[in-house]
Amino acid sequence: MSSTIVRRGTRCTLALVAAASAMLASTGMSQTLIDMGRFPGGTYSFSANLSDDGSVVTGSGDLGGKMHAWRWTMATGLVDLGVVPGATRSAGYCVSGNGQVIVGVSGASYDVAARWTAQTGMQSLGSLAAGKPSFAFGTTYDGAIVVGDGYLSDGTQRAFRWTSATGLQQFGQRLPGTLHSLALRINGDGSVITGYCYNNAPSLVYPTACVWDAAGNITSLGTLPGSAESVPGAINTTGDTIVGYCANGDGSGGRPFRWTAATGMQDLGLPPGATAAVAAALTADGATVVGHAIEAGQARATIWTAATGNQYLSDVLQAAGVDLTGWFLRHATISADGSAMAGWGIYNGAGTSWYLTFGCVAPTILSGPASQTVTEGSSVSFTVVATGSALQYAWFKDSVQIPGAIAATYTIAAVTASDAGDYHCVVSNGCGADTSNIATLTVQPCAAPQITQQPLSQTVNVGMPAYFSVGATGTDPLTYQWRKNTQNIPGATASQYQIAAVTEADAGDYDCIVTNACGGATSSVATLTVQGGGCTGPQISQHPQSQTVDVGMPAYFFVIATGTDPLSYQWRKDALDIPGATAQDYLIAAVTEADAGDYDCVVTNACGSATSFAATLTVQAGCTPPQITQHPQDQTVDVGDSADFLVAATGTGTLSYQWRKDGVAIPGADENSFEIPSVVHADTGLYDCVVTDDCGSSISNAAALTVMCEPCDANCDGSINGFDVEDFVAALSGSGSGCSPCQGDVNGDGSVNGFDIDGFVQCLTGP
């Protein structure tokens, strides 16, 4: 795969940069790039990306012969962010949208995921396995969530998600047939993460771009037609647009893409004379994309819009009047609000980073308010999301401006019928204005609570439980407050109230106030009489038992209680009395699906009452598919070793088995165990078993078989020595023999490039 992956976290949103000439002219700026400089004595500096308002830039530079992460503003210039304790190097990959948090790597070999704030300095985020590398690539607007990847103890590469509460944790599903995953970017609120999955030998799966939702569910982005791999470069603030590049299996032929759920992969094309290109940053609305292209063997910064296609950024800036004397722009990124760009390149023969500010940007509404239907008395909020500089908001109802409604969100704390109408927002600044869509507020009448079931008076012995309940209807949500002698009982805020063991002090009058947004209703009073000795209230010594019964079969419940006779019984289903069910036991001769529910029994005498535990009746059809009791397990083996999978199940009648690899049936594999006597690379995959009985089929969990591969053995002769050097160099150049699926990929990132050289040298020379 290509070595041109730009590891850069992005939340970038932007108004159209293609209008650079107009913006530059309107701001009256000097139209000259700013050299962000280098560390004292340093030889290079690489900017990574900007904060959403363009005021903060992060990147890395040479400091005393070692790379250090930096943070830059117009006021402070280049500021060294240091390293994690005990480390010597660091790199800054991503700055949060608010400019307060920077993430990247540190450590002796840039292999420790790190996070920097002004309060904490550079701190390690940990790893997925002790002593294994980890890398942080992206963060949310507030810097509270960090994503990246790390290695497990077996060398598997997995995406991670970090918060201060959870620490660094493995995250997300993987695409079918892949073992490795990397998380590279995350949108502003953390709801969408993008990255890619891949698999090495023996079943090679090239890197494929994907997205995860906050729960870790994965969706593939696919590839451009004719390409073998895809790698994302950036995601916009709202998470609905992603850019990156696609390439051939050997990494050649890089083509920039733009993806949305509606359009899929869109080829952004190449600037004139370019042989490859990468899309690395984009606007919030997806209308502008920046990155770089390869022309005559050199990287050149690029900018794309639908109107202009992919162009060299230097051509666009020079046409807008920007003085580029002495500059060669190699790469570009851009701020969320469109007020600034940054990148890196060559200035008067030295490698450095550059910065350019555009000033005022007219508002662009990204998402408008949504229509809502609410009940009288409840609260409602309308929100608009927009980009631009120094934004001002004005909300309108039925085209009339609402006094004081000047924030991005407008809230009505307690809706009335008169609030129904059409709402919209105008977002403006000194450069222009944008008007949102209309959101209609529909207000439904509110039904005040009505008591449908009153609490009952009781006589209970000291030490026995007392139980009160109330039923009510009305517009949700309903709230409850129990009272004793008209005084609120702290914490008694459910539809039931129980005293586990009454005392004489509990005697009194109990009622419940039920309220909602429309009003309130008070139940009738239930008197609790507490008596001392001479009478023993019911005590349940054996409760009814939960059971699962087939349709048409009998269900039987019974309860055993002690106490002063006579005892009376009342069975209930789902807390409602069952007419005629007043014996010690209760029988349903032939159950139906409608009988499913919770059953209990209230036992009463002159001294009080006691309610049994609820017994759940589950009703099922007479026949069920097999139940898998033991699933096959993941395995990692060397070539030539055996692999064994086993499944165990129970069911009705005779069980039959069919093993599958990657969802395809394996001929002859029809026992409860499956063995591969001598594993080869092609056996890598996911194995499961379909178990069938008289009632249906069930599929076991999939077990992953991983066949180990030695990337340092570049000539595949079984030894690691000097004879491997020539083949490793060939793999670096893209002309390797391909004798091994992982040939030359020493760091296991799915790509053979310069990052593998140190590891290959260590293989030859030893640790």
Side-chain angles (χ1 to χ4, degrees):
M1 60 178 276
S2 171
S3 61
T4 56
I5 297 174
V6 182
R7 297 185 180 272
R8 179 173 293 107
T10 308
R11 301 137 311 285
C12 296
T13 58
L14 172 68
L16 194 63
V17 176
S21 58
M23 288 187 281
L24 290 168
S26 67
T27 57
M29 58 179 290
S30 64
Q31 301 184 1
T32 302
L33 263 66
I34 296 173
D35 180 2
M36 287 192 280
R38 300 179 295 275
F39 290 128
T43 58
Y44 61 84
S45 174
F46 300 100
S47 60
N49 74 325
L50 303 90
S51 61
D52 281 1
D53 64 1
S55 64
V56 181
V57 187
T58 189
S60 310
D62 173 26
L63 180 62
K66 297 175 181 178
M67 186 182 292
H68 273 221
W70 52 253
R71 181 179 187 268
W72 181 94
T73 69
M74 292 280 277
T76 65
L78 217 62
V79 176
D80 178 19
L81 302 187
V83 297
V84 300
T88 57
R89 295 172 170 86
S90 64
Y93 291 154
C94 176
V95 59
S96 61
N98 62 12
Q100 301 302 306
V101 179
I102 291 173
V103 301
V105 294
S106 189
S109 301
Y110 309 105
D111 55 1
V112 177
R115 177 178 183 268
W116 176 93
T117 69
Q119 295 74 31
T120 65
M122 189 74 73
Q123 289 190 326
S124 169
L125 299 184
S127 60
L128 292 177
K132 294 296 182 179
S134 59
F135 313 90
F137 295 132
T139 188
T140 49
Y141 175 85
D142 59 4
I145 304 174
V146 180
V147 297
D149 73 88
Y151 286 83
L152 305 181
S153 57
D154 63 358
T156 303
Q157 199 170 5
R158 292 290 166 81
F160 74 68
R161 180 180 184 274
W162 176 95
T163 70
S164 60
T166 65
L168 193 146
Q169 293 185 332
Q170 189 177 157
F171 178 82
Q173 300 171 339
R174 298 182 302 282
L175 294 177
T178 66
L179 183 63
H180 305 275
S181 61
L182 295 83
L184 301 181
R185 314 287 184 263
I186 186 169
N187 74 327
D189 64 6
S191 60
V192 184
I193 298 171
T194 187
Y196 66 89
C197 297
Y198 71 95
N199 202 64
N200 287 325
S203 295
L204 179 62
V205 178
Y206 290 112
T208 303
C210 60
V211 292
W212 292 275
D213 61 21
N217 301 305
I218 194 170
T219 300
S220 172
L221 304 189
T223 61
L224 290 172
S227 294
E229 66 178 60
S230 58
V231 176
I235 185 171
N236 67 342
T237 299
T238 53
D240 55 21
T241 307
I242 296 169
V243 298
Y245 77 92
C246 293
N248 301 325
D250 60 0
S252 64
R255 299 154 60 195
F257 74 77
R258 175 182 179 272
W259 177 95
T260 70
T263 64
M265 283 273 184
Q266 176 188 4
D267 193 337
L268 302 187
L270 303 177
T275 58
V278 169
L282 77 163
T283 68
D285 58 6
T288 305
V289 180
V290 297
H292 70 265
I294 304 300
E295 183 209 26
Q298 296 198 66
R300 292 188 61 185
T302 57
I303 182 171
W304 174 94
T305 71
T308 64
N310 217 355
Q311 298 178 290
Y312 294 114
L313 179 62
S314 57
D315 295 342
V316 175
L317 294 181
Q318 285 176 325
V322 179
D323 183 5
L324 298 182
T325 302
W327 282 101
F328 188 87
L329 309 184
R330 292 194 179 279
H331 185 77
T333 185
I334 201 155
S335 68
D337 64 359
S339 63
M341 293 182 69
W344 48 268
I346 304 297
Y347 183 51
N348 291 331
T352 189
S353 294
W354 56 267
Y355 178 82
L356 180 66
T357 180
F358 296 117
C360 183
V361 178
T364 299
I365 292 178
L366 305 181
S367 63
S371 295
Q372 301 181 55
T373 298
V374 299
T375 304
E376 283 183 285
S378 58
S379 66
V380 68
S381 293
F382 297 104
T383 298
V384 66
V385 178
T387 62
S389 51
L391 297 179
Q392 297 179 343
Y393 302 86
W395 286 92
F396 294 77
K397 174 180 181 283
D398 297 330
S399 300
V400 177
Q401 187 169 354
I402 304 169
I406 56 174
T409 297
Y410 173 59
T411 299
I412 305 173
V415 171
T416 65
S418 63
D419 292 317
D422 294 331
Y423 292 77
H424 75 274
C425 184
V426 176
V427 185
S428 62
N429 63 10
C431 307
D434 197 5
T435 301
S436 76
N437 60 284
I438 291 176
T440 299
L441 175 61
T442 302
V443 181
Q444 294 181 334
C446 187
Q450 290 186 323
I451 305 296
T452 58
Q453 179 181 331
Q454 303 287 352
L456 301 176
S457 296
Q458 304 174 48
T459 299
V460 180
N461 278 357
V462 170
M464 298 300 295
Y467 176 82
F468 300 100
S469 66
V470 67
T473 59
T475 301
D476 288 328
L478 298 176
T479 62
Y480 301 85
Q481 178 60 63
W482 287 91
R483 304 187 303 175
K484 177 191 173 201
N485 298 331
T486 71
Q487 299 299 309
N488 290 346
I489 303 172
T493 56
S495 59
Q496 303 90 24
Y497 174 59
Q498 182 174 8
I499 305 172
V502 301
T503 66
E504 292 182 356
D506 292 318
D509 294 330
Y510 291 78
D511 61 13
C512 185
I513 300 175
V514 185
T515 58
N516 64 7
C518 318
T522 303
S523 73
S524 60
V525 171
T527 299
L528 175 60
T529 302
V530 180
Q531 60 186 15
C535 183
T536 302
Q539 290 185 315
I540 296 176
S541 57
Q542 186 167 341
H543 296 267
Q545 301 298 306
S546 296
Q547 48 194 291
T548 299
V549 179
D550 291 342
V551 171
M553 299 301 291
Y556 179 71
F557 301 99
F558 70 93
V559 67
I560 297 177
T562 59
T564 301
D565 288 329
L567 299 175
S568 62
Y569 302 86
Q570 177 60 63
W571 287 90
R572 305 187 303 173
K573 176 179 180 282
D574 298 330
L576 298 177
D577 290 350
I578 304 172
T582 56
Q584 185 178 355
D585 56 4
Y586 175 59
L587 172 67
I588 305 173
V591 301
T592 66
E593 292 183 357
D595 292 317
D598 293 329
Y599 291 78
D600 61 18
C601 185
V602 180
V603 185
T604 307
N605 66 4
C607 314
S609 63
T611 303
S612 73
F613 298 153
T616 300
L617 174 59
T618 302
V619 180
Q620 64 180 12
C623 191
T624 59
Q627 299 293 312
I628 306 292
T629 58
Q630 181 178 339
H631 294 270
Q633 303 297 307
D634 292 349
Q635 299 183 48
T636 299
V637 299
D638 292 324
V639 172
D641 289 349
S642 65
D644 298 277
F645 298 98
L646 177 67
V647 68
T650 60
T652 303
T654 302
L655 300 179
S656 63
Y657 305 85
Q658 177 59 61
W659 288 90
R660 306 186 305 177
K661 176 179 180 285
D662 297 330
V664 179
I666 303 171
D670 55 2
E671 303 291 337
N672 71 322
S673 62
F674 173 62
E675 179 186 16
I676 305 173
S678 181
V679 169
V680 297
H681 287 303
D683 292 322
T684 293
L686 299 175
Y687 291 78
D688 61 21
C689 187
V690 181
V691 185
T692 304
D693 69 2
D694 297 343
C695 304
S697 299
S698 298
I699 302 176
S700 74
N701 295 342
L705 176 59
T706 303
V707 183
M708 301 301 291
C709 184
E710 176 49 67
C712 287
D713 184 16
N715 65 359
C716 303
D717 66 352
S719 300
I720 301 173
N721 49 43
F723 295 107
D724 296 295
V725 173
E726 182 177 352
D727 291 85
F728 177 76
V729 172
L732 279 177
S733 66
S735 59
S737 65
C739 65
S740 163
C742 62
Q743 183 186 36
D745 185 17
V746 181
N747 66 359
D749 66 353
S751 169
V752 182
N753 50 43
F755 296 107
D756 298 292
I757 294 175
D758 288 346
F760 180 73
V761 172
Q762 290 180 7
C763 285
L764 292 177
T765 61

